[in-house]
Amino acid sequence: MIVCSNCEVAPVASAQAGSACASCGERLIVVDTGDDLLGTTIDGRFEVLAPLGKGGMGVVYRAKQLSIGREIALKVLDRAIEKDVKAIQRFFREAKLASTLQHPNTVPVIDFGQNADGRLFLAMELINGTTLLEAINQQGAFSIARVIAVGTQLCDALEAAHDLQIVHRDLKLENVMLVAGKRDHVKVLD
């Protein structure tokens, strides 16, 4: 993985070790993260750029959808799941169902499948913002009006999912994202 030796700004995907950081001018360095997916391409379509987070089912990466050059979130499921026939079948069922969910407060599924090496993946819209947990920790308690605005959007997303017989099963502050912008726009993750 290529990173700046000085600042927190992620270098562009084509950056080379030893070159100057576009943000601060310091030297870019190579860091071995031990993650064998970084820099690889999944299903010939999604270039894995950087990890975004790890959960119970796998790792979510920032990736580039090569066909159109946009950045996406790519969830790659844990390798142990590949050995469980029922889990694989459940993944495909749930991914198909989730791809039918179209609501302003949910994260659209772009695609899903299985890479040639057997890894299961789910490609989704990349959401830029902060989790509800981070926002509360940084800003403190929300005003009543803000709680109502955020809560209403959260309920709208859950209602749309429930209408399709989808149950979230892991709703928590870390899985609710406030999209970057002037006013709160909620996206339910995971």
Side-chain angles (χ1 to χ4, degrees):
M1 171 182 234
I2 306 293
V3 298
C4 178
S5 60
N6 181 55
C7 73
E8 305 259 335
V9 177
V12 295
S14 60
Q16 299 292 318
S19 62
C21 173
S23 178
C24 71
E26 288 293 318
R27 185 172 169 232
L28 297 178
I29 58 173
V30 176
V31 176
D32 182 5
T33 62
D35 191 326
D36 62 335
L37 286 181
L38 292 179
T40 66
T41 301
I42 300 292
D43 202 35
R45 301 179 293 148
F46 305 108
E47 179 185 358
V48 180
L49 302 176
L52 292 174
K54 184 172 175 61
M57 295 288 289
V59 179
V60 178
Y61 295 93
R62 177 182 302 272
K64 182 188 283 185
Q65 186 178 3
L66 297 174
S67 62
I68 57 177
R70 75 172 161 183
E71 288 195 355
I72 61 152
L74 186 70
K75 184 174 190 173
V76 180
L77 274 62
D78 190 272
R79 300 280 315 196
I81 293 172
E82 299 162 19
K83 296 171 179 54
D84 184 341
V85 174
K86 294 287 186 203
I88 291 174
Q89 290 170 330
R90 186 172 55 249
F91 166 76
F92 277 99
R93 261 193 324 272
E94 291 177 3
K96 284 177 187 172
L97 192 56
S99 69
T100 66
L101 181 58
Q102 301 294 319
H103 190 274
N105 299 114
T106 62
V107 179
V109 172
I110 296 166
D111 203 356
F112 58 91
Q114 189 170 34
N115 196 35
D117 66 359
R119 291 178 190 243
L120 298 167
F121 67 89
L122 183 68
M124 302 163 285
E125 175 186 4
L126 179 64
I127 306 298
N128 292 310
T130 185
T131 68
L132 192 50
L133 178 64
E134 292 166 339
I136 291 169
N137 286 340
Q138 292 168 1
Q139 301 162 20
F142 286 10
S143 69
I144 297 291
R146 190 172 186 196
V147 168
I148 291 169
V150 168
T152 300
Q153 293 177 68
L154 179 58
C155 289
D156 288 346
L158 294 175
E159 179 181 41
H162 292 174
D163 286 346
L164 294 173
Q165 305 300 309
I166 298 172
V167 178
H168 192 289
R169 296 191 311 181
D170 193 24
L171 190 59
K172 56 188 176 185
L173 297 176
E174 297 95 313
N175 285 337
V176 178
M177 183 74 80
L178 299 176
V179 179
K182 291 184 180 177
R183 61 189 153 116
D184 291 323
H185 179 81
V186 171
K187 289 278 192 172
V188 178
L189 308 177
D190 206 19

